[in-house]
Amino acid sequence: MSVKTLKKFFVLNPTNQGYDFEWEQQDDENSNQAKIFRCTTQKGVIYSGKKFEMIFEYTPNSLGVQESYWFFKINSEKIVHKFLLLGTWILWFWRVR
């Protein structure tokens, strides 16, 4: 059941200066969520007037809905935004007649 799914989206910096960002997972390191959700772009710089692609991986290990909490931080500006990631794995049955 370890099929990896990617969620990609862009964050735009409309200001006239670049900002360092970081993602911080809020789930307990030993929790199931900490193992099935992963950010592949944990740190970087979003330059002035540019966008930066954020990529999260979801690799479920059981059926159902899982959730994971993350903070998006721009420390130089004291900006923290909370994100909730939801993943769902459903088992499909196919019947041939």
Side-chain angles (χ1 to χ4, degrees):
M1 220 191 283
S2 60
V3 176
K4 186 186 312 181
T5 303
L6 299 179
K7 178 63 180 174
K8 301 177 182 183
F9 59 93
F10 288 97
V11 174
L12 174 67
N13 178 358
T15 69
N16 62 359
Q17 70 182 70
Y19 292 110
D20 293 320
F21 73 87
E22 69 176 292
W23 288 96
E24 183 179 295
Q25 191 171 20
Q26 295 303 296
D27 306 314
D28 179 21
E29 290 179 10
N30 299 319
S31 73
N32 188 44
Q33 284 76 9
K35 297 172 186 165
I36 61 175
F37 289 94
R38 188 172 85 87
C39 180
T40 64
T41 51
Q42 283 196 309
K43 293 182 179 188
V45 178
I46 308 173
Y47 295 104
S48 172
K50 301 294 181 182
K51 59 186 177 180
F52 195 101
E53 185 175 41
M54 306 299 171
I55 304 171
F56 285 86
E57 293 179 353
Y58 170 63
T59 309
N61 57 10
S62 63
L63 295 175
V65 177
Q66 288 94 22
E67 61 184 36
S68 180
Y69 289 94
W70 292 75
F71 284 141
F72 176 76
K73 297 180 172 185
I74 300 176
N75 291 326
S76 64
E77 300 299 310
K78 297 183 174 82
I79 294 173
V80 178
H81 187 78
K82 192 171 190 175
F83 279 74
L84 169 62
L85 304 180
L86 292 173
T88 304
W89 183 261
I90 301 171
L91 185 61
W92 292 90
F93 291 97
W94 294 88
R95 188 175 1 167
V96 178
R97 291 182 181 215

